[in-house]
Amino acid sequence: MPENANHPFSFDIVQDGRTILSQYDNHIVRKLSDMQGQFFDQLAYDAILAEEDKVIYEVYEVKRPEVSGELLHGLSIVHPGTVGSEHFMTKGHFHEVLETAEIYYCLHGEGYMVMETPDGDCAVEPLKAQSVLYVPPCWAHRSVNTSPTDDLVTFFIYPAHAGHDYGSIEEHGFRKVVVADKDTPIVMDNPVWQSKDAR
Ligand code: S6P
Ligand code: ZN
C-alpha cells in the first residue's frame, strides 16, 4: 500500500514479459497440502502429495484498508494440473459479508468459475482471456484451470470490507466439480458432496 493510503496510484500487470503485478503487498502460495479434503478423489490426492507438495495456485494482493468504500484487488494464478480427473482449482469461499460482489477479469488461460449460493443455486461460467466475470452478492466462488499446459490468470476486484468465509466450502465442498474427460472439461455433480453433507 502506498505510504499515503489515500493518494491515487497505478501499476503494471506485465513485468519482464511475465504476467505479474509490478506492485503488490502479499504473495500467497497455496500448495496441495493446503487443499486437504477439497478434491473428490482422495486416493489420487494422497498419491500425488506423497510424491510432491505441488503449488496449485498463487495470489498477489494489493493491500488497502479493509473498510467499506475501498476496493481490494490483485492477481490470481491457478497452475495447470489435475488430481485424478479433477482440474486444479482455488479453495473457494463465500464473502464474510455475504452481500458483496466481485469482478474477475481473465487475462490469460482458460477455465471456469464454479459458483453457488447458500440456498443451493449453482452456476458455472467460462473464464477465457479478455473475458469479464461478475460474481453477484451471496455467491461462493472457486476458479478452476482447465488448460493442460497454461496458467489461468485473473485480476480480481471486490469490496474491501467483504472478508472471507472458507468454512462452509471446506466442510461441504461445492456442489459442482470440473473434470477432464479426454480433452474436454466437463461439469458434473460433486460425487462426495452429498456424503459429506450427510455426516
Ligand atoms: C477474494 C478473491 C480472490 C481469491 C483468490 C484465491 O475475494 O475471490 O482473491 O481469494 O482467487 O481463492 P481463495 O478461494 O483461496 O481465496
Ligand atoms: Zn472472493
Side-chain angles (χ1 to χ4, degrees):
M1 198 184 307
E3 215 169 279
N4 178 352
N6 209 25
H7 197 275
F9 60 95
S10 60
F11 54 86
D12 297 326
I13 291 186
V14 177
Q15 209 180 23
D16 303 327
R18 219 180 128 218
T19 309
I20 184 89
L21 300 185
S22 61
Q23 172 189 308
Y24 59 87
D25 301 294
N26 268 349
H27 177 205
I28 300 162
V29 177
R30 294 272 184 242
K31 295 185 165 186
L32 193 60
S33 57
D34 298 316
M35 304 281 290
Q36 186 64 249
Q38 298 297 299
F39 292 96
F40 68 80
D41 188 338
Q42 189 65 40
L43 285 179
Y45 177 90
D46 292 340
I48 299 171
L49 192 55
E51 290 288 315
E52 186 189 349
D53 193 6
K54 292 187 175 182
V55 174
I56 308 295
Y57 64 100
E58 301 176 63
V59 183
Y60 294 86
E61 291 178 332
V62 178
K63 278 237 170 220
R64 296 296 305 161
E66 294 182 9
V67 296
S68 161
E70 289 277 355
L71 296 171
L72 290 182
H73 52 283
L75 204 65
S76 166
I77 303 177
V78 185
H79 298 301
T82 55
V83 173
S85 60
E86 191 174 10
H87 289 288
F88 280 7
M89 61 196 187
T90 60
K91 290 173 82 160
H93 57 268
F94 286 97
H95 289 163
E96 206 173 342
V97 179
L98 199 57
E99 301 82 8
T100 50
E102 182 156 352
I103 284 180
Y104 280 81
Y105 175 38
C106 184
L107 296 158
H108 184 84
E110 58 197 58
Y112 288 95
M113 189 68 79
V114 174
M115 294 165 281
E116 67 181 50
T117 67
D119 293 337
D121 288 339
C122 296
V124 180
E125 286 288 319
L127 292 166
K128 57 182 191 308
Q130 311 311 328
S131 71
V132 173
L133 176 88
Y134 186 74
V135 182
C138 304
W139 286 77
H141 39 286
R142 156 181 286 167
S143 23
V144 181
N145 182 358
T146 56
S147 166
T149 52
D150 280 14
D151 286 341
L152 173 68
V153 185
T154 52
F155 188 81
F156 57 84
I157 308 163
Y158 64 103
H161 67 296
H164 293 91
D165 169 12
Y166 291 98
S168 153
I169 298 301
E170 276 171 359
E171 198 179 338
H172 300 287
F174 277 79
R175 288 168 171 81
K176 300 287 179 188
V177 294
V178 184
V179 299
D181 182 32
K182 300 196 179 85
D183 287 340
T184 317
I186 56 167
V187 178
M188 64 175 209
D189 289 340
N190 183 349
V192 300
W193 187 85
Q194 287 287 356
S195 58
K196 271 189 186 169
D197 195 45
R199 263 180 228 160

